[in-house]
Amino acid sequence: MKMKTIIITGAASGIGKAVAELFYSEGWQLGLLDLNPTPLQDTVKDWDKSRYCIVAANVTDPDQVETALQQIMQSIRLPDVLFNCAGVLEVGDFEAITLDRHHRILDINNKGVLNCCYFAFPYLKQNPGSRVINMSSASSLYGIPGFASYSASKFWVKGFTEALNLEWARYGIQVMDIEPPFVNTPMLANKQAQIIRRLGVKLVAEDIAVQVFQAAQGERLHNAVSREYKVLRAARKCLPDRAAHKLVKWMSGY
């Protein structure tokens, strides 16, 4: 059986790091991409050097992404999975967050995914049965106050995932996403919001890594994580917009 390969963006910490560790333990070969790859050196210190490649790149920069993937392809086999994990979060009233920060959220969470998919496509196309797994969020279920740009960015990821899944089926490429509620990672550290307190932070990065590994073997387009979120997701389909509005308003304290 040939060794499978995965390319992971945002691999240096949080969910990206946990996914890298799990897939390596399962015998996969890895292309690891991060804006600051220095922490990855500690992660891979005891790894077989023939099974990974680390590249520094800013996913918002198309030229850097193209070059990074070219470098990775010189070291590992054609990818079986591209996992778009790089992302950022800001919490606060829309007008209290700087415009530059809003732009950064959209640049990383959306343009980063677009850039990586665009430049990975020629390699994925050569490997029928390959997949793209994008990090979406429970925040894509309904626009969350205090998370306006972040929530909107995850709606974009969901729509982009659905469209590409249909388009790229003709090449044998499956596109899917992961939708977790709040996860205890550095991205969420020190973030304060009523909805975080009410829903709680019950997941860790390793929980999401397991979901990503299952998605890499599965067929589901949207992979909802946690029982509570699955219940909310099911309820959203049944609730009229006015009721959903009231529920989200109560949960978020607005």
Side-chain angles (χ1 to χ4, degrees):
M1 182 183 296
K2 81 176 184 73
M3 185 183 297
K4 289 189 173 184
T5 64
I6 181 171
I7 297 172
I8 304 170
T9 70
S13 65
I15 292 170
K17 178 183 176 183
V19 169
E21 291 173 336
L22 176 58
F23 276 74
Y24 181 84
S25 72
E26 293 290 338
W28 287 53
Q29 193 176 37
L30 299 93
L32 305 173
L33 191 154
D34 202 281
L35 178 62
N36 176 23
T38 302
L40 278 168
Q41 298 300 333
D42 186 57
T43 300
V44 306
K45 63 183 179 182
D46 297 320
W47 289 10
D48 178 348
K49 292 183 179 179
S50 69
R51 287 182 49 203
Y52 69 88
C53 173
I54 297 174
V55 180
N58 182 344
V59 295
T60 69
D61 186 318
D63 292 335
Q64 288 190 34
V65 172
E66 183 178 25
T67 300
L69 290 176
Q70 288 171 347
Q71 289 180 268
I72 289 172
M73 286 301 101
Q74 292 172 3
S75 301
I76 68 173
R77 298 173 178 85
L78 289 170
D80 293 281
V81 176
L82 165 65
F83 177 46
N84 285 308
C85 185
V88 292
L89 166 70
E90 190 68 60
V91 179
D93 293 338
F94 174 79
E95 67 278 9
I97 298 171
T98 66
L99 186 60
D100 283 346
R101 187 64 178 174
H102 283 299
H103 285 177
R104 184 166 181 260
I105 291 168
L106 300 180
D107 284 345
I108 296 174
N109 295 4
N110 297 155
K111 290 182 182 178
V113 172
L114 188 152
N115 290 338
C116 291
C117 286
Y118 187 88
F119 289 111
F121 172 69
Y123 307 115
L124 295 164
K125 183 181 176 182
Q126 295 176 56
N127 191 14
S130 60
R131 355 185 130 218
V132 177
I133 303 176
N134 297 321
M135 274 304 301
S136 185
S137 166
S139 297
S140 68
L141 185 63
Y142 193 97
I144 306 299
F147 296 75
S149 293
Y150 176 80
S151 186
S153 78
K154 295 307 181 179
F155 273 86
W156 184 96
V157 168
K158 181 179 285 187
F160 185 70
T161 296
E162 291 173 350
L164 278 195
N165 186 55
L166 291 169
E167 286 190 31
W168 286 2
R170 65 188 187 272
Y171 303 111
I173 303 169
Q174 187 166 357
V175 186
M176 52 185 61
D177 62 28
I178 308 293
E179 298 179 27
F182 299 116
V183 183
N184 187 9
T185 66
M187 188 172 77
L188 197 64
N190 302 316
K191 299 292 192 297
Q192 301 294 325
Q194 183 72 11
I195 196 168
I196 297 176
R197 290 188 289 273
R198 285 196 164 143
L199 291 181
V201 183
K202 301 173 183 178
L203 297 168
V204 295
E206 289 74 17
D207 296 323
I208 311 308
V210 170
Q211 296 295 320
V212 174
F213 189 77
Q214 291 175 354
Q217 333 293 322
E219 302 293 331
R220 188 174 294 134
L221 174 61
H222 299 301
N223 294 269
V225 182
S226 90
R227 182 173 57 186
E228 291 87 350
Y229 174 57
K230 289 176 182 178
V231 170
L232 281 173
R233 196 165 174 262
R236 177 67 183 101
K237 294 178 181 179
C238 303
L239 287 174
D241 286 344
R242 183 181 295 274
H245 173 88
K246 288 182 178 179
L247 176 61
V248 173
K249 184 177 181 178
W250 173 80
M251 287 193 302
S252 58
Y254 281 75

